[in-house]
Amino acid sequence: LEMSKPVPPPRPTNIGAAGEDDGPSDGYNAGAKVSVEELMNKDSEDESLRKYKEQLLGAAAKGQTATDPNDKRRVVITELKIIFEDRPGGDVTYALNTQEDVLAMKKKPFIMKEKCHYQIQITFRVQHEIVSGLKFVNKFYKAGIRVAKEETMLGSYAPNAEPYSVTVPRNDWDEAPAGFFARGGFGAKSLFIDDDNQTHLEYEYSFELKSGWT
C-alpha cells in the first residue's frame, strides 16, 4: 500500500433517506494496523526494501512523525474547500485550524445553484502514526430530516509534515439536485473516521439550494 498517496476513492455510496442503516457501505479492507516503527523494523535486513520504505514514509521513517509533539491528534484537518465549476464568486473555503473555526462554519452559509457542478477538496496532515482506512462521511438534512448520506473512502496515510489534499470526486464533478422540492435550506454534518472507529473531526455547515447564485 502506497501510503504517501491516497487510495482512489469510490463514488459516494449509501445515499438514502433517514432511518437507513448507518453501517459500513463499502468493501474496503484497510488491513492489519501497523506502526511506523513496526513497518521499518520488518524485513530490515533487506536494503532495497528499507530504502523503499524510507522513500515512502519520508521524515516519519527517521522518527519525525509530528510537527508539534504536544499535539496528540493523528489527523489534523486544516481546510475544506467547495470547488465550483462556474460560481461567479469563486470557491467556498472554510479554514479548520482551530475549534473556533469549526464552530464558525455553521454561521457562514453559502448559496448553491441547482444543477451546478462541484467538488469537495479536503486538506489535512497526518502525524504520530499511520492512519488506516480514513473515511469522509457527509450527512444532509432538510427541515431537520436526514435526506442523504455520502461516504467516501480516502485511504491510508503515513505521518508527513507536508499536508495531503484530496478532491472528491477525483476525476469528475458532482451535480447539485434541481427542482421545486429540492430547493431550500440544508444543514450538513460531516466527520472523518478511520478503521479504528476513531473520529478525527466533526463539524456542521449549512447552505441554500436556489435557482440562481443569488
Side-chain angles (χ1 to χ4, degrees), residues 31-62:
K33 183 178 179 180
V34 61
S35 68
V36 173
E37 184 179 6
E38 289 171 334
L39 188 61
M40 289 304 300
N41 289 337
K42 187 175 182 181
D43 301 318
S44 57
E45 69 281 355
D46 188 326
E47 182 67 13
S48 61
L49 183 57
R50 182 186 64 79
K51 289 182 178 179
Y52 170 74
K53 287 188 287 188
E54 286 180 353
Q55 182 182 20
L56 181 69
L57 296 172
K62 301 177 182 179

Side-chain angles (χ1 to χ4, degrees), residues 120-134:
I120 295 177
Q121 185 180 83
I122 306 143
T123 303
F124 60 97
R125 296 194 320 274
V126 174
Q127 55 187 17
H128 301 300
E129 288 294 345
I130 295 167
V131 172
S132 299
L134 186 63

Side-chain angles (χ1 to χ4, degrees), residues 109-127:
F110 62 91
I111 293 173
M112 179 178 283
K113 180 183 176 182
E114 61 181 2
K115 298 193 75 174
C116 73
H117 292 166
Y118 68 95
Q119 298 169 319
I120 295 177
Q121 185 180 83
I122 306 143
T123 303
F124 60 97
R125 296 194 320 274
V126 174
Q127 55 187 17

Side-chain angles (χ1 to χ4, degrees), residues 7 22 30 47 62 69 78 102 104 116 123 126 155 161 166 177 179-180 184-185 192 194-195 210:
V7 174
D22 279 339
E47 182 67 13
K62 301 177 182 179
T78 58
V102 173
C116 73
T123 303
V126 174
V166 180
F180 176 79
F192 295 84
D194 63 23
D195 67 341
K210 303 179 72 173

Side-chain angles (χ1 to χ4, degrees), residues 54-214:
E54 286 180 353
Q55 182 182 20
L56 181 69
L57 296 172
K62 301 177 182 179
Q64 302 170 21
T65 59
T67 54
D68 180 4
N70 295 320
D71 186 350
K72 302 304 180 184
R73 293 175 296 175
R74 288 195 296 148
V75 179
V76 181
I77 292 94
T78 58
E79 184 182 88
L80 174 78
K81 180 184 289 186
I82 303 167
I83 302 171
F84 293 95
E85 186 177 38
D86 58 358
R87 182 175 182 263
D91 302 329
V92 174
T93 302
Y94 293 104
L96 299 173
N97 294 296
T98 67
Q99 185 61 25
E100 288 74 20
D101 290 335
V102 173
L103 294 175
M105 284 186 71
K106 196 174 181 180
K107 301 176 183 178
K108 297 178 180 178
F110 62 91
I111 293 173
M112 179 178 283
K113 180 183 176 182
E114 61 181 2
K115 298 193 75 174
C116 73
H117 292 166
Y118 68 95
Q119 298 169 319
I120 295 177
Q121 185 180 83
I122 306 143
T123 303
F124 60 97
R125 296 194 320 274
V126 174
Q127 55 187 17
H128 301 300
E129 288 294 345
I130 295 167
V131 172
S132 299
L134 186 63
K135 182 186 294 184
F136 176 48
V137 181
N138 247 334
K139 299 177 183 179
F140 300 95
Y141 299 82
K142 188 174 185 181
I145 298 173
R146 198 183 86 189
V147 295
K149 177 184 176 185
E150 300 177 351
E151 296 183 4
T152 302
M153 179 58 65
L154 302 181
S156 298
Y157 298 85
N160 197 328
E162 296 299 317
Y164 295 102
S165 183
V166 180
T167 302
V168 180
R170 182 179 301 276
N171 298 313
D172 201 356
W173 295 93
D174 272 334
E175 183 176 283
F180 176 79
F181 293 104
R183 298 179 201 131
F186 288 82
K189 295 181 180 179
S190 302
L191 61 88
F192 295 84
I193 188 169
D194 63 23
D195 67 341
D196 290 328
N197 287 323
Q198 179 177 349
T199 299
H200 296 282
L201 181 67
E202 189 169 1
Y203 57 79
E204 298 181 31
Y205 63 99
S206 60
F207 61 94
E208 187 173 0
L209 186 67
K210 303 179 72 173
S211 59
W213 288 111
T214 59

